[in-house]
Amino acid sequence: MKNVFREVHTRSLWQVLGLYLAVSWVVLQVVDVLADNVALPDWVFPIALVLLLVGLPVVLGTAFVQGGVRNADSDPEHGRGQDTGRREAASPSGASARSGLLTWRNALLGGLAAFGLLGLGIGGWVGLRAAGIGGAGTLVAKGMLDDRAEVVISDFLASGAEPSLARTLTEAFRIDFTESPTVRVVDPSRVSETLRLMERDPEEGLTLDLARELAQREGFPAVIAGEIGMAGANYLLTGQVVSAADGAVLVSHRETASEEDLLDAIDALSQRLRERIGEPLGSLAGAAPLERVTTSSFEALDKYSEAERLMITGGSRTRAVSLLEEAIELDATFAMAHRKLGISLFILQEQRARQVESFTRAFELRDRLTDYERYITEGSYYTYATGELDRAVTAYENALAIDSVGPALNNLAIVYQALGDHERALDMFALDIAQDRLSSNPYVNSLFSLVSLSRPDDMRARFEEMYGLFPTASSHSWGAQAFLSVGDYATADSHIAALEEETGSPDWQSQARLLGAMSRGARGNLERGLELLAERAEIEAERDLEGGVWESEELAARLLLGLKGDADAALARLEQAAAVVPVSDLSPYDRPYSALAVANAEAGRVAEARRYAEAFEEEIWPLASGDLGIRLDYRAARGAVAEAVGDFAAAIEEYRQTPEAWCPECTNRLLGRAFDRWGRADSALVYLERAASVPSGSRGYGDSDWIGRTTLRVAELHDQANNLSDAARFYAAFVELWADADPEFQPEVAAAQDRLEVILREIG
């Protein structure tokens, strides 16, 4: 330290000034970094700056005085020793007195003391904040909000600004607040469903007054509201935490921003409100900037927020998909938009290639997501892109550790469904429902676990409960699938008819025809099923969904094969589709190589069947071997080729590698058919009876082309084995199922009825 004093002492006034400014800059940088990383209050940096400004004249004065004393002492005209002593004695209030006060030691100690007091002030502020005392106390510390309390975010009020801008800011605000570990933002879908129960239109928006009414109804303690207005050429953003009970403003903060800085301003506004609510300082310091976890493009965020609104309020999902695609075009690194696009396509059950592509891209960009969104994205990727279900379980469990009320619980239960653990899945769905999130997802998904657990009455009760809360077109669609899965075709048809009334939505018109074709096919109404699929193909073509066109034609080919056994007609149908939409125009993931391999194999065109199976292996399998549906299609194609050349042992080995837990009836049907063609009647009966009888939530989507004839074949095999009671049971089931089948199938129905009557007479 003495060396430092000596070195400074020898410097000129200008050198000291430069040195002080350099040290001040370093000090301010350190304070700024600490303020950001420890989330210190806003007043720390200005006070540090004031202290340094106050210290500037002190340092300059000290340099001047100490420099003057040094120069006088070293003046060669006066010499040293006694003369100097006499001058000091003669002038006790002169330079010597000043040098006694303005010393480098005093300057340094004064600076340390000033910043020490600043440190004490910060420590006191932290203590008061934690204790909930005074203005520094947080809402949580004061007991005005509970830790992890649920809060409603109302729509930003636009005062002189564009409404679309307010909508976008609301979405950005909500995204930022979902990162908070201190409060839980009520999910927008829950808000939307609650508004419907309140007989309010969700599309009208959520004003502060309406948000308070909703919060009071549901028992949420607070509403977070925002407003955007103009302040000259800039925007003025205001955020408030409002008591739901009495409307009192608990916390308020303002930010001013130019148009280019709006995202930064909304980030700062959210951070300040989160800090005042009581979020730990370390959490705030570690939060990623809003631009980082969303997008730097305000236009892209606007399109994302509009797509989110459409999905929440039940608007056009096709339009939502288009908006998300536009958002991605504006910012290819917009991870949230990629994930949401994958989800939207999955819900629409369209464009499997785009689904996988979207989930994969979101996974690659997961460092641009909030922690919760990142884990959800990882779970979706491992579930739908790679099929690594164990890793999906881990990802969703990590998400649940952050928020046990969000969609992670429902998604984790879906993974257990795919693993065949329906009891555990059902427990999770029940827990999700008990949390009262007012989301239809756990209701929908639990329907299919109840089907798989042979609890059709409970499934019906759950559906009625769901439809009472969510009387929407989506509920009709899921209800139709659930009732098809238990063979209740009359009820399924009523929901399909309700979908057909959604004339303004091509989404639901397409879905109604697909489900209608499945319902008709299962009951032997081949002609009507083909008509519905032709209508669906036209709708999909108008929507430029080439994959949907092919999906329609693939099901038509399956119906021709399964109901009529007409492989040539099935091939003709597929070739007709290829003339309209060439296979090469489709993305590899959507290319119907499996359907083409199976149809050619059934028609005895082994070389063509093998060519398509090999194309599947080369073009699709490396891209999507983790997808459970792809696994099934791949094994079905290879097994069909093996059957076509009479190698039934190889075919059976292929079918044993299908994902049985995902679609038990599919695996059992393929195995039973192979054993039957091989002449192994006992094994064929075991597997075909399982296929026809096993309860499965996927039956509504997969058995329309084979359930009738498989039921009949099981009856015949039991009959051949002299198991007359079982034979009668399956003959009766077939006769009932195909009672209104097309005229060309009625001779088979009559023959089954005759044999049933004979057996019943024999067994009394």
Side-chain angles (χ1 to χ4, degrees), residues 315-583:
S316 170
R317 289 194 176 272
T318 302
R319 174 61 179 155
V321 166
S322 297
L323 287 167
L324 290 170
E325 291 172 336
E326 292 173 17
I328 291 169
E329 287 181 7
L330 291 165
D331 182 2
T333 65
F334 194 173
M336 271 189 180
H338 284 289
R339 188 180 82 81
K340 192 67 70 173
L341 177 59
I343 292 171
S344 299
L345 293 172
F346 177 76
I347 292 174
L348 287 172
Q349 299 176 357
E350 295 175 350
Q351 304 182 65
R352 288 193 300 174
R354 291 293 310 282
Q355 292 175 33
V356 173
E357 178 186 338
S358 298
F359 287 129
T360 301
R361 186 59 178 145
F363 179 81
E364 293 169 348
L365 296 167
R366 63 191 183 281
D367 63 329
R368 298 183 60 86
L369 294 166
T370 64
D371 287 345
Y372 184 80
E373 284 277 345
R374 175 163 55 84
Y375 289 131
I376 293 291
T377 296
E378 290 176 356
S380 300
Y381 172 73
Y382 291 132
T383 302
Y384 303 114
T386 68
E388 297 173 272
L389 299 184
D390 291 341
R391 300 184 75 173
V393 169
T394 301
Y396 288 132
E397 287 177 342
N398 288 336
L400 285 172
I402 296 174
D403 186 357
S404 62
V405 180
L409 185 61
N410 176 74
N411 293 1
L412 179 58
I414 291 174
V415 175
Y416 281 117
Q417 279 185 320
L419 290 168
D421 191 346
H422 291 282
E423 288 286 2
R424 180 178 290 187
L426 198 58
D427 288 343
M428 290 183 175
F429 290 135
L431 178 59
D432 202 13
I433 291 171
Q435 289 177 339
D436 194 30
R437 289 197 307 117
L438 278 184
S439 168
S440 62
N441 291 332
Y443 289 92
V444 167
N445 294 316
S446 64
L447 296 177
F448 300 99
S449 279
L450 288 168
V451 170
S452 296
L453 292 170
S454 298
R455 294 166 57 181
D457 292 340
D458 290 338
M459 183 275 287
R460 290 181 173 86
R462 177 61 53 81
F463 176 79
E464 292 301 321
E465 181 184 2
M466 179 185 82
Y467 190 72
L469 293 171
F470 313 102
T472 63
S474 179
S475 292
H476 286 302
S477 176
W478 291 117
Q481 294 173 56
F483 286 108
L484 285 176
S485 295
V486 296
D488 186 347
Y489 298 101
T491 304
D493 285 348
S494 68
H495 291 292
I496 294 169
L499 276 184
E500 291 175 347
E501 295 177 3
E502 300 285 336
T503 55
S505 171
D507 300 349
W508 297 126
Q509 290 298 303
S510 174
Q511 183 75 344
R513 282 156 179 78
L514 179 63
L515 293 171
M518 292 175 175
S519 177
R520 294 291 184 172
R523 289 175 287 173
N525 302 138
L526 176 62
E527 293 304 317
R528 181 55 183 155
L530 295 177
E531 290 172 1
L532 288 169
L533 290 171
E535 292 174 10
R536 182 177 188 263
E538 290 180 5
I539 295 172
E540 297 296 271
E542 291 175 0
R543 300 166 69 198
D544 294 324
L545 295 178
E546 296 174 338
V549 173
W550 263 104
E551 182 185 34
S552 302
E553 297 304 328
E554 283 182 66
L555 180 55
R558 281 170 43 201
L559 291 178
L560 286 165
L561 275 174
L563 275 65
K564 200 171 182 179
D566 193 340
D568 291 333
L571 273 176
R573 191 80 182 225
L574 294 175
E575 290 169 355
Q576 179 183 347
V580 177
V581 181
V583 173

Side-chain angles (χ1 to χ4, degrees), residues 10-171:
T10 61
R11 301 296 176 187
S12 71
L13 187 65
W14 292 109
Q15 288 174 321
V16 170
L17 174 61
L19 183 61
Y20 183 80
L21 292 177
V23 171
S24 297
W25 183 84
V26 171
V27 169
L28 289 175
Q29 294 305 307
V30 171
V31 170
D32 189 41
V33 170
L34 287 174
D36 287 341
N37 288 279
V38 189
L40 297 179
D42 296 337
W43 46 262
V44 172
F45 187 88
I47 290 181
L49 180 60
V50 168
L51 291 177
L52 290 170
L53 290 174
V54 169
L56 179 59
V58 174
V59 168
L60 292 178
T62 301
F64 179 80
V65 169
Q66 293 297 321
V69 171
R70 173 178 58 80
N71 292 336
D73 289 346
S74 61
D75 190 340
E77 295 183 5
H78 297 286
R80 303 180 65 86
Q82 293 181 353
D83 289 343
T84 301
R86 285 194 295 269
R87 283 195 307 273
E88 289 177 353
S91 305
S93 60
S96 179
R98 291 194 301 273
S99 65
L101 178 62
L102 295 176
T103 66
W104 290 116
R105 181 176 183 276
N106 289 345
L108 180 61
L109 291 176
L112 292 175
F115 276 92
L117 289 173
L118 176 59
L120 288 174
I122 294 172
W125 176 85
V126 172
L128 292 173
R129 180 182 188 273
I133 299 173
T138 67
L139 298 181
V140 171
K142 291 179 178 180
M144 302 175 76
L145 280 181
D146 293 334
D147 190 33
R148 301 297 291 155
E150 290 186 281
V151 297
V152 179
I153 294 183
S154 66
D155 293 341
F156 263 65
L157 176 64
S159 299
E162 290 293 329
S164 61
L165 182 60
R167 180 193 64 221
T168 305
L169 290 177
T170 303
E171 184 62 29

Side-chain angles (χ1 to χ4, degrees), residues 718-733:
H718 274 301
D719 201 353
Q720 293 170 15
N722 204 35
N723 303 325
L724 296 185
S725 295
D726 289 327
R729 180 162 54 89
F730 280 95
Y731 277 129

Side-chain angles (χ1 to χ4, degrees), residues 651-674:
I652 289 167
E653 181 60 28
E654 293 289 347
Y655 298 147
R656 289 192 190 280
Q657 297 181 64
T658 59
E660 182 175 1
W662 183 70
C663 184
E665 68 275 18
C666 301
T667 297
N668 284 298
R669 180 184 71 87
L670 291 170
L671 286 168
R673 185 190 67 186

